[in-house]
Amino acid sequence: QKEVEQNSGPLSVPEGAIASLNCTYSDRGSQSFFWYRQYSGKSPELIMSIYSNGDKEDGRFTAQLNKASQYVSLLIRDSQPSDSATYLCAVRSNTGGFKTIFGAGTRLFVKA
Amino acid sequence: KAGVTQTPRYLIKTRGQQVTLSCSPISGHRSVSWYQQTPGQGLQFLFEYFSETQRNKGNFPGRFSGRQFSNSRSEMNVSTLELGDSALYLCASSLGAGQSSYEQYFGPGTRLTVT
């Protein structure tokens, strides 16, 4: 089982729709969770962090965390073509030493 | 604040050579992590440093090594290069202590091509 799993996609949504990106993780002791956006040819950019169960909203982005289910999600409301990118889920693990583990990423296409 | 800088941005090396990559973190950040990114494997964890100490090392051969200096700048070295080492090497810095301090900010990366 991979430490952090994401659907590779691609996920295609029409402009203005809600894009839903999902991530599961294996280390039950993980406490910090992050979403990064990576445009083609660029480095990852932090867009959200979440530490407690529930929802965290920042503009058009909402991160959701359920530690009991070991599940993190990212919702993008009113999706724009500029949101087309790969979204990486990252989990901070202290098992076996300090490290941040990234999922393989989900490619999102927003169609105008 | 200036962002994370990495040098060089591009490198072409021959099999068997060695290479050193450099990373300067955001001012005030004490932790630096290194990742290898390839199309097939995604972002793979290499090392994490905090205050000159290696906190963890990923599942890479001993040819990959790194260090962090007292000013938090970090270098990684790859010896005896192999074709499979061709990748984008990313450095990320963070405050390094405290819950919210694990938010990582990435540099532009060094694109290494081994021929």
Side-chain angles (χ1 to χ4, degrees):
Chain A
Q1 180 189 8
K2 289 185 180 178
E3 293 177 274
V4 179
E5 293 204 59
Q6 296 180 253
N7 290 329
S8 61
L11 173 65
S12 184
V13 301
E15 184 176 359
I18 295 175
S20 178
L21 304 162
N22 305 314
C23 171
T24 59
Y25 59 94
S26 60
D27 181 2
R28 189 169 285 278
S30 299
Q31 296 294 322
S32 305
F33 307 87
F34 310 95
W35 284 98
Y36 288 82
R37 176 176 62 199
Q38 187 172 26
Y39 292 113
S40 181
K42 301 293 186 182
S43 57
E45 171 193 13
L46 178 68
I47 54 173
M48 291 284 286
S49 57
I50 187 166
Y51 305 101
S52 304
N53 280 329
D55 295 0
K56 179 182 178 182
E57 187 175 318
D58 184 0
R60 296 186 296 111
F61 298 95
T62 299
Q64 299 174 317
L65 174 61
N66 184 327
K67 290 183 181 179
S69 301
Q70 295 173 247
Y71 176 87
V72 193
S73 66
L74 179 70
L75 300 177
I76 307 174
R77 290 182 301 282
D78 188 24
S79 294
Q80 301 296 309
S82 59
D83 294 326
S84 298
T86 296
Y87 289 80
L88 302 167
C89 172
V91 177
R92 180 71 181 177
S93 170
N94 291 342
T95 301
F98 297 96
K99 57 186 176 183
T100 300
I101 302 300
F102 284 77
T106 299
R107 292 195 69 188
L108 172 66
F109 292 102
V110 180
K111 300 175 292 184
Chain B
K1 265 187 183 174
V4 179
T5 58
Q6 291 187 246
T7 57
R9 293 292 310 279
Y10 303 93
L11 267 179
I12 300 176
K13 292 287 189 178
T14 306
R15 272 180 301 176
Q17 288 186 314
Q18 75 164 12
V19 66
T20 299
L21 311 181
S22 180
C23 172
S24 292
I26 292 170
S27 178
H29 284 194
R30 296 166 62 191
S31 182
V32 171
S33 297
W34 288 89
Y35 298 88
Q36 181 195 67
Q37 188 172 38
T38 58
Q41 297 296 317
L43 268 168
Q44 299 294 308
F45 171 75
L46 280 159
F47 324 96
E48 176 172 311
Y49 289 91
F50 176 73
S51 293
E52 301 180 69
T53 299
Q54 185 180 90
R55 290 208 281 205
N56 204 353
K57 186 179 192 293
N59 189 25
F60 279 81
R63 300 184 296 106
F64 291 80
S65 63
R67 58 180 175 170
Q68 187 181 31
F69 302 96
S70 58
N71 61 358
S72 295
R73 191 178 68 84
S74 178
E75 289 182 347
M76 67 164 281
N77 184 77
V78 188
S79 62
T80 320
L81 284 165
E82 300 179 358
L83 295 177
D85 297 332
S86 295
L88 179 66
Y89 289 88
L90 290 162
C91 161
S93 80
S94 64
L95 288 169
Q99 186 183 50
S100 63
S101 299
Y102 299 127
E103 296 176 352
Q104 295 185 327
Y105 298 87
F106 283 83
T110 295
R111 173 72 63 185
L112 172 65
T113 302
V114 182
T115 63

Short mmCIF file of all heavy atoms in Angstrom, two decimals, chain A residues 25 30-35 46-57 62-67 71-74 89-92, chain B residues 99-100 103:
data_model
loop_
_atom_site.label_atom_id
_atom_site.label_comp_id
_atom_site.label_asym_id
_atom_site.label_seq_id
_atom_site.Cartn_x
_atom_site.Cartn_y
_atom_site.Cartn_z
N TYR A 25 -4.28 8.24 3.10
CA TYR A 25 -2.93 8.05 3.61
C TYR A 25 -2.91 6.88 4.57
O TYR A 25 -3.94 6.50 5.14
CB TYR A 25 -2.42 9.33 4.28
CG TYR A 25 -3.26 9.80 5.45
CD1 TYR A 25 -2.94 9.44 6.76
CD2 TYR A 25 -4.37 10.62 5.24
CE1 TYR A 25 -3.71 9.86 7.84
CE2 TYR A 25 -5.15 11.04 6.31
CZ TYR A 25 -4.81 10.67 7.59
OH TYR A 25 -5.58 11.09 8.65
N SER A 30 -0.28 10.56 11.38
CA SER A 30 0.01 11.80 10.67
C SER A 30 -0.85 12.94 11.21
O SER A 30 -2.01 12.74 11.58
CB SER A 30 -0.26 11.64 9.16
OG SER A 30 0.57 10.64 8.62
N GLN A 31 -0.24 14.12 11.29
CA GLN A 31 -0.92 15.26 11.91
C GLN A 31 -1.07 16.46 10.98
O GLN A 31 -1.86 17.36 11.26
CB GLN A 31 -0.16 15.69 13.16
CG GLN A 31 -0.13 14.65 14.26
CD GLN A 31 -1.51 14.38 14.85
OE1 GLN A 31 -2.31 15.30 15.02
NE2 GLN A 31 -1.82 13.12 15.12
N SER A 32 -0.27 16.52 9.92
CA SER A 32 -0.26 17.70 9.06
C SER A 32 -0.48 17.28 7.62
O SER A 32 0.16 16.32 7.15
CB SER A 32 1.08 18.44 9.19
OG SER A 32 1.35 18.74 10.54
N PHE A 33 -1.34 18.05 6.94
CA PHE A 33 -1.75 17.65 5.59
C PHE A 33 -1.76 18.87 4.69
O PHE A 33 -2.15 19.97 5.13
CB PHE A 33 -3.16 17.01 5.64
CG PHE A 33 -3.24 15.91 6.65
CD1 PHE A 33 -3.53 16.19 7.98
CD2 PHE A 33 -2.98 14.60 6.27
CE1 PHE A 33 -3.58 15.17 8.92
CE2 PHE A 33 -3.02 13.58 7.21
CZ PHE A 33 -3.31 13.86 8.54
N PHE A 34 -1.33 18.68 3.47
CA PHE A 34 -1.12 19.82 2.58
C PHE A 34 -1.60 19.49 1.18
O PHE A 34 -1.56 18.34 0.74
CB PHE A 34 0.38 20.17 2.52
CG PHE A 34 1.03 20.30 3.86
CD1 PHE A 34 1.69 19.22 4.42
CD2 PHE A 34 0.97 21.49 4.57
CE1 PHE A 34 2.29 19.33 5.67
CE2 PHE A 34 1.57 21.60 5.82
CZ PHE A 34 2.22 20.52 6.38
N TRP A 35 -2.03 20.55 0.49
CA TRP A 35 -2.32 20.45 -0.95
C TRP A 35 -1.41 21.42 -1.69
O TRP A 35 -1.29 22.59 -1.30
CB TRP A 35 -3.79 20.78 -1.24
CG TRP A 35 -4.72 19.67 -0.88
CD1 TRP A 35 -5.46 19.54 0.25
CD2 TRP A 35 -4.99 18.51 -1.68
NE1 TRP A 35 -6.19 18.38 0.20
CE2 TRP A 35 -5.92 17.73 -0.96
CE3 TRP A 35 -4.56 18.06 -2.93
CZ2 TRP A 35 -6.42 16.52 -1.45
CZ3 TRP A 35 -5.05 16.86 -3.41
CH2 TRP A 35 -5.97 16.10 -2.68
N LEU A 46 2.38 25.63 -2.60
CA LEU A 46 1.46 25.33 -1.50
C LEU A 46 0.18 26.15 -1.64
O LEU A 46 0.23 27.38 -1.79
CB LEU A 46 2.13 25.65 -0.16
CG LEU A 46 1.29 25.45 1.09
CD1 LEU A 46 1.01 23.97 1.33
CD2 LEU A 46 2.00 26.04 2.31
N ILE A 47 -0.98 25.47 -1.60
CA ILE A 47 -2.24 26.20 -1.66
C ILE A 47 -3.08 26.05 -0.40
O ILE A 47 -3.84 26.95 -0.06
CB ILE A 47 -3.07 25.81 -2.90
CG1 ILE A 47 -3.30 24.30 -3.00
CG2 ILE A 47 -2.44 26.33 -4.17
CD1 ILE A 47 -4.25 23.91 -4.12
N MET A 48 -2.94 24.93 0.32
CA MET A 48 -3.73 24.74 1.53
C MET A 48 -2.97 23.84 2.50
O MET A 48 -2.30 22.91 2.09
CB MET A 48 -5.07 24.07 1.24
CG MET A 48 -6.08 24.89 0.48
SD MET A 48 -6.86 26.14 1.49
CE MET A 48 -7.98 25.15 2.49
N SER A 49 -3.15 24.11 3.78
CA SER A 49 -2.70 23.19 4.82
C SER A 49 -3.87 22.98 5.78
O SER A 49 -4.69 23.87 5.96
CB SER A 49 -1.49 23.75 5.56
OG SER A 49 -1.79 25.01 6.11
N ILE A 50 -3.95 21.79 6.36
CA ILE A 50 -5.03 21.48 7.30
C ILE A 50 -4.51 20.54 8.35
O ILE A 50 -3.73 19.62 8.04
CB ILE A 50 -6.28 20.91 6.56
CG1 ILE A 50 -7.46 20.75 7.52
CG2 ILE A 50 -5.97 19.62 5.82
CD1 ILE A 50 -8.79 20.52 6.83
N TYR A 51 -4.93 20.76 9.61
CA TYR A 51 -4.36 20.00 10.72
C TYR A 51 -5.44 19.34 11.58
O TYR A 51 -5.15 18.39 12.32
CB TYR A 51 -3.52 20.92 11.61
CG TYR A 51 -2.45 21.66 10.84
CD1 TYR A 51 -2.63 22.99 10.46
CD2 TYR A 51 -1.27 21.03 10.48
CE1 TYR A 51 -1.67 23.67 9.75
CE2 TYR A 51 -0.29 21.71 9.76
CZ TYR A 51 -0.50 23.02 9.40
OH TYR A 51 0.46 23.70 8.69
N SER A 52 -6.68 19.86 11.53
CA SER A 52 -7.76 19.35 12.37
C SER A 52 -8.87 18.77 11.50
O SER A 52 -9.08 19.21 10.37
CB SER A 52 -8.34 20.49 13.22
OG SER A 52 -7.34 21.11 13.98
N ASN A 53 -9.60 17.84 12.07
CA ASN A 53 -10.75 17.27 11.37
C ASN A 53 -11.75 18.36 11.00
O ASN A 53 -11.96 19.30 11.76
CB ASN A 53 -11.45 16.23 12.25
CG ASN A 53 -10.75 14.90 12.25
OD1 ASN A 53 -10.13 14.50 11.27
ND2 ASN A 53 -10.83 14.19 13.38
N GLY A 54 -12.35 18.21 9.83
CA GLY A 54 -13.35 19.17 9.41
C GLY A 54 -12.94 19.88 8.14
O GLY A 54 -12.13 19.37 7.37
N ASP A 55 -13.52 21.03 7.92
CA ASP A 55 -13.29 21.80 6.71
C ASP A 55 -12.48 23.05 7.01
O ASP A 55 -12.60 23.65 8.08
CB ASP A 55 -14.63 22.25 6.11
CG ASP A 55 -15.47 21.09 5.62
OD1 ASP A 55 -15.01 19.92 5.75
OD2 ASP A 55 -16.58 21.33 5.13
N LYS A 56 -11.67 23.44 6.02
CA LYS A 56 -10.94 24.71 6.09
C LYS A 56 -11.09 25.38 4.74
O LYS A 56 -10.78 24.78 3.72
CB LYS A 56 -9.47 24.46 6.41
CG LYS A 56 -8.65 25.75 6.46
CD LYS A 56 -7.18 25.45 6.73
CE LYS A 56 -6.34 26.72 6.74
NZ LYS A 56 -4.91 26.42 6.97
N GLU A 57 -11.59 26.61 4.75
CA GLU A 57 -11.88 27.32 3.51
C GLU A 57 -10.90 28.46 3.30
O GLU A 57 -10.54 29.17 4.25
CB GLU A 57 -13.32 27.85 3.55
CG GLU A 57 -13.80 28.46 2.26
CD GLU A 57 -15.28 28.85 2.32
OE1 GLU A 57 -16.08 28.06 2.86
OE2 GLU A 57 -15.59 29.96 1.87
N THR A 62 -11.52 24.63 -0.56
CA THR A 62 -11.89 24.06 0.73
C THR A 62 -11.16 22.74 0.90
O THR A 62 -11.29 21.85 0.05
CB THR A 62 -13.41 23.82 0.85
OG1 THR A 62 -14.10 25.07 0.72
CG2 THR A 62 -13.76 23.20 2.20
N ALA A 63 -10.41 22.62 1.98
CA ALA A 63 -9.78 21.35 2.32
C ALA A 63 -10.62 20.66 3.39
O ALA A 63 -11.17 21.32 4.28
CB ALA A 63 -8.36 21.56 2.82
N GLN A 64 -10.75 19.35 3.26
CA GLN A 64 -11.52 18.56 4.23
C GLN A 64 -10.63 17.45 4.75
O GLN A 64 -9.93 16.79 3.97
CB GLN A 64 -12.76 17.98 3.55
CG GLN A 64 -13.71 19.03 3.00
CD GLN A 64 -14.87 18.42 2.22
OE1 GLN A 64 -14.68 17.50 1.42
NE2 GLN A 64 -16.08 18.93 2.43
N LEU A 65 -10.68 17.23 6.07
CA LEU A 65 -9.85 16.20 6.70
C LEU A 65 -10.71 15.31 7.57
O LEU A 65 -11.51 15.79 8.38
CB LEU A 65 -8.75 16.85 7.55
CG LEU A 65 -7.89 15.92 8.39
CD1 LEU A 65 -7.12 14.92 7.53
CD2 LEU A 65 -6.92 16.74 9.26
N ASN A 66 -10.52 14.01 7.42
CA ASN A 66 -11.18 13.01 8.27
C ASN A 66 -10.10 12.03 8.70
O ASN A 66 -9.74 11.12 7.96
CB ASN A 66 -12.29 12.30 7.50
CG ASN A 66 -13.07 11.32 8.36
OD1 ASN A 66 -12.52 10.70 9.27
ND2 ASN A 66 -14.34 11.17 8.07
N LYS A 67 -9.57 12.24 9.90
CA LYS A 67 -8.46 11.40 10.38
C LYS A 67 -8.91 9.97 10.64
O LYS A 67 -8.13 9.04 10.46
CB LYS A 67 -7.83 12.01 11.63
CG LYS A 67 -7.07 13.30 11.36
CD LYS A 67 -6.40 13.81 12.63
CE LYS A 67 -5.65 15.11 12.38
NZ LYS A 67 -5.01 15.62 13.62
N TYR A 71 -8.41 10.30 5.36
CA TYR A 71 -8.89 10.83 4.08
C TYR A 71 -8.79 12.36 4.11
O TYR A 71 -9.17 13.00 5.09
CB TYR A 71 -10.35 10.38 3.92
CG TYR A 71 -11.07 10.90 2.72
CD1 TYR A 71 -11.01 10.22 1.50
CD2 TYR A 71 -11.87 12.04 2.80
CE1 TYR A 71 -11.71 10.68 0.40
CE2 TYR A 71 -12.56 12.50 1.70
CZ TYR A 71 -12.49 11.81 0.51
OH TYR A 71 -13.18 12.26 -0.58
N VAL A 72 -8.25 12.88 3.01
CA VAL A 72 -8.15 14.33 2.84
C VAL A 72 -8.71 14.66 1.46
O VAL A 72 -8.47 13.90 0.50
CB VAL A 72 -6.68 14.82 2.88
CG1 VAL A 72 -6.60 16.32 3.02
CG2 VAL A 72 -5.90 14.14 3.97
N SER A 73 -9.41 15.77 1.35
CA SER A 73 -9.92 16.16 0.03
C SER A 73 -9.74 17.65 -0.18
O SER A 73 -9.54 18.42 0.78
CB SER A 73 -11.38 15.76 -0.13
OG SER A 73 -12.18 16.51 0.76
N LEU A 74 -9.80 18.04 -1.42
CA LEU A 74 -9.72 19.45 -1.80
C LEU A 74 -10.86 19.72 -2.77
O LEU A 74 -11.00 19.02 -3.78
CB LEU A 74 -8.39 19.77 -2.47
CG LEU A 74 -8.20 21.22 -2.93
CD1 LEU A 74 -8.07 22.16 -1.72
CD2 LEU A 74 -6.98 21.36 -3.84
N CYS A 89 -1.22 15.90 -3.09
CA CYS A 89 -1.55 15.77 -1.67
C CYS A 89 -0.26 15.41 -0.95
O CYS A 89 0.51 14.56 -1.42
CB CYS A 89 -2.60 14.68 -1.52
SG CYS A 89 -2.98 14.20 0.18
N ALA A 90 -0.01 16.03 0.20
CA ALA A 90 1.20 15.73 0.96
C ALA A 90 0.84 15.53 2.42
O ALA A 90 -0.02 16.22 2.97
CB ALA A 90 2.22 16.86 0.82
N VAL A 91 1.50 14.58 3.04
CA VAL A 91 1.22 14.21 4.43
C VAL A 91 2.51 14.21 5.22
O VAL A 91 3.52 13.62 4.80
CB VAL A 91 0.57 12.81 4.49
CG1 VAL A 91 0.34 12.38 5.93
CG2 VAL A 91 -0.73 12.80 3.71
N ARG A 92 2.46 14.89 6.38
CA ARG A 92 3.63 14.92 7.23
C ARG A 92 3.61 13.70 8.14
O ARG A 92 2.66 13.49 8.90
CB ARG A 92 3.61 16.19 8.09
CG ARG A 92 4.80 16.32 9.04
CD ARG A 92 6.07 16.61 8.29
NE ARG A 92 7.23 16.71 9.18
CZ ARG A 92 8.46 16.89 8.75
NH1 ARG A 92 8.72 17.01 7.46
NH2 ARG A 92 9.45 16.97 9.62
N GLN B 99 3.82 22.86 14.64
CA GLN B 99 2.88 22.20 13.72
C GLN B 99 2.80 22.89 12.39
O GLN B 99 2.94 22.26 11.35
CB GLN B 99 1.50 22.11 14.37
CG GLN B 99 0.51 21.31 13.53
CD GLN B 99 -0.85 21.30 14.16
OE1 GLN B 99 -1.38 22.34 14.51
NE2 GLN B 99 -1.44 20.13 14.30
N SER B 100 2.57 24.19 12.37
CA SER B 100 2.39 24.87 11.09
C SER B 100 3.71 25.10 10.39
O SER B 100 3.74 25.62 9.28
CB SER B 100 1.68 26.21 11.29
OG SER B 100 2.47 27.06 12.09
N GLU B 103 5.00 23.53 6.61
CA GLU B 103 4.60 24.00 5.29
C GLU B 103 5.86 24.26 4.47
O GLU B 103 6.72 25.04 4.87
CB GLU B 103 3.78 25.28 5.41
CG GLU B 103 2.46 25.08 6.13
CD GLU B 103 1.68 26.36 6.33
OE1 GLU B 103 2.24 27.44 6.04
OE2 GLU B 103 0.53 26.28 6.77
#
